[in-house]
Amino acid sequence: VVTAEPLVAAYGEPARAALAAAGWSATLMPVPDGESSKTLAQAGQLYGACLAAELDRGSTLFAVGGGVIGDLTGFVAGTYMRGIDLVQVPTTLLSQVDASVGGKTAVDLPQGKNLVGVFHQPRKVVIDTATLGTLPLRDLRAGMAEIVKHAAIADAEMFAALEAHPLEEWLGAPEALQRLVARNCQIKAEVVVADPREKGVRAWLNYGHTVGHAMEAAAGHWDLRHGEAVAYGMVAEALLAVSLGLAAPEVAQRQAELLAALGLAQGPLQVDLDRARQALWHDKKIERGTLKLPLVPALGQCVVRQDVPVSELVTALEQACGCGDV
Ligand SMILES: NC(=O)c1ccc[n+]([C@@H]2O[C@H](COP(=O)([O-])OP(=O)(O)OC[C@H]3O[C@@H](n4cnc5c(N)ncnc54)[C@H](O)[C@@H]3O)[C@@H](O)[C@H]2O)c1
Ligand SMILES: [Zn+2]
């Protein structure tokens, strides 16, 4: 059972004890908290712990924690002895609705995030939304960004439900929250099943992420959660869709209002704009000044545009960073 050190008492040890009670020989493997643990060095430590615990090709790694633990544990499970079984037990909203489903695993390099990884599908994803009761509001909001993304690209009805019910209402209604999380897993799973290795429709899931990743790269020491960056990214990409004549202004407007109601993409963002522009220009997907970008023409729909001028995306990024109002 791999978990983050602060989660040992509340979730890691109870998970280990439950497995032991069910007859498994289970060992707890705590790792230091935070994105800085998504490294090859930390993976190396875990391989050592796996050997010390005498794990073999019939063993299973359980990832109990947020997306960092899921990505790191998934990477180790996908490579230790050429791959052993993995069970994801996500405990943040972001990992419950996004990171735990789909089989992408990774560690970071000093040069950038998620640069080394494998596709390794979990045998099972076990989600207990009661764990969200201890999650700080800021992480809940960041997780909501990926929910808004799923609604924007694939489910207009869910988008309307999010507009109608504020975050506190979802948190206070356990069954509605479970259905919301399950619906998000279903959307992600459907897209991934159609395109497991990101050759086509899986690109939809990158909505808001081209600009979002550029903002993360430019945030430097200013701490910016992934979901927070994606929220700004969606604002920018919605503005772009309007300026390209692909979407009505109302689409960008409704999305900006929903994000603001969730405490996301509000107010000027402190990023180094030059670095953000540079990060966009260095995006892997750029060819001859244009790039491939998933855009939302109407809420609940997504199209991949092949020829988006990077210069226009830069303008949209500046607008989204500047004020967040549309
Ligand atoms: N593989 C994928 O498809 C995919 C998709 C999206 C994001 N990611 C990755 O996920 C990571 C971000 O994940 P995250 O947002 O879950 O961050 P995280 O894993 O760092 O968790 C955020 C914080 O919440 C704490 N925490 C976790 N569960 C808790 C709980 N129930 N109560 C209280 N505290 C809790 C963690 O210890 C941590 O301090 C990034 O590395 C990102 O690259 C992967
Ligand atoms: Zn994301």
Side-chain angles (χ1 to χ4, degrees):
V1 177
V2 182
T3 196
E5 278 162 2
L7 303 179
V8 166
Y11 303 116
E13 175 51 27
R16 190 210 59 79
L19 287 167
W24 294 57
S25 158
T27 308
L28 196 59
M29 301 176 180
V31 301
D33 198 31
E35 183 73 28
S36 55
S37 276
K38 258 178 70 174
T39 59
L40 286 169
Q42 189 57 55
Q45 297 251 322
L46 283 173
Y47 296 135
C50 291
L51 286 170
E54 298 180 358
L55 301 196
D56 60 25
R57 298 190 66 183
S59 301
T60 301
L61 283 181
F62 287 73
V64 179
V68 164
I69 292 296
D71 278 11
L72 171 68
T73 309
F75 177 74
V76 171
T79 48
Y80 179 74
M81 297 200 169
R82 299 197 185 83
I84 64 172
D85 281 350
L86 168 70
V87 174
Q88 293 278 12
V89 189
T91 62
T92 62
L93 185 57
L94 185 129
S95 58
Q96 292 183 355
V97 300
D98 189 352
S100 64
V101 175
K104 276 194 188 176
T105 78
V107 294
D108 304 333
L109 294 180
Q111 291 88 341
K113 266 180 62 124
N114 299 330
L115 289 179
V116 177
V118 286
F119 284 98
H120 189 59
Q121 294 294 345
R123 296 284 297 211
K124 209 182 245 304
V125 180
V126 181
I127 298 176
D128 183 349
T129 49
T131 59
L132 302 178
T134 57
L135 195 67
L137 180 60
R138 187 170 174 193
D139 290 290
L140 287 166
R141 288 174 160 169
M144 288 304 289
E146 302 282 7
I147 293 182
V148 172
K149 176 191 80 178
H150 286 150
I153 62 171
D155 191 338
E157 216 173 291
M158 181 163 81
F159 197 97
L162 293 168
E163 289 178 315
H165 305 282
L167 180 56
E168 307 76 61
E169 263 182 54
W170 294 101
L171 296 174
E175 281 175 14
L177 183 62
Q178 277 172 23
R179 280 195 301 275
L180 182 69
V181 170
R183 175 67 186 130
N184 277 272
C185 292
Q186 188 187 21
I187 291 171
K188 178 144 187 201
E190 278 171 10
V191 172
V192 172
V193 165
D195 177 21
R197 287 185 175 252
E198 204 167 320
K199 304 257 186 277
V201 291
R202 194 166 180 164
W204 292 8
L205 300 172
N206 290 331
Y207 176 53
H209 281 61
T210 301
V211 170
H213 284 150
M215 289 182 178
E216 282 182 281
H221 294 297
W222 196 68
D223 92 304
L224 180 69
R225 296 276 202 285
H226 173 72
E228 294 169 350
V230 169
Y232 277 103
M234 288 191 287
V235 169
E237 292 176 17
L239 289 173
L240 179 78
V242 174
S243 75
L244 291 175
L246 189 69
E250 187 213 353
V251 174
Q253 180 81 35
R254 276 179 68 188
Q255 191 191 260
E257 281 170 11
L258 175 57
L259 290 169
L262 291 163
L264 292 162
Q266 278 179 304
L269 178 63
Q270 297 169 37
V271 293
D272 181 338
L273 265 182
D274 278 335
R275 277 178 67 187
R277 286 189 205 102
Q278 261 172 23
L280 268 187
W281 277 107
H282 286 122
D283 195 287
K284 299 187 276 292
K285 299 177 286 283
I286 292 189
E287 268 176 56
R288 280 180 250 110
T290 66
L291 85 149
K292 203 174 108 177
L293 198 69
L295 290 169
V296 169
L299 292 168
Q301 293 173 24
C302 192
V303 294
V304 178
R305 283 290 286 252
Q306 303 291 337
D307 52 355
V308 176
V310 182
S311 54
E312 293 209 26
L313 195 56
V314 168
T315 307
L317 179 147
E318 287 167 0
Q319 276 176 286
C321 277
C323 50
D325 61 76
V326 268

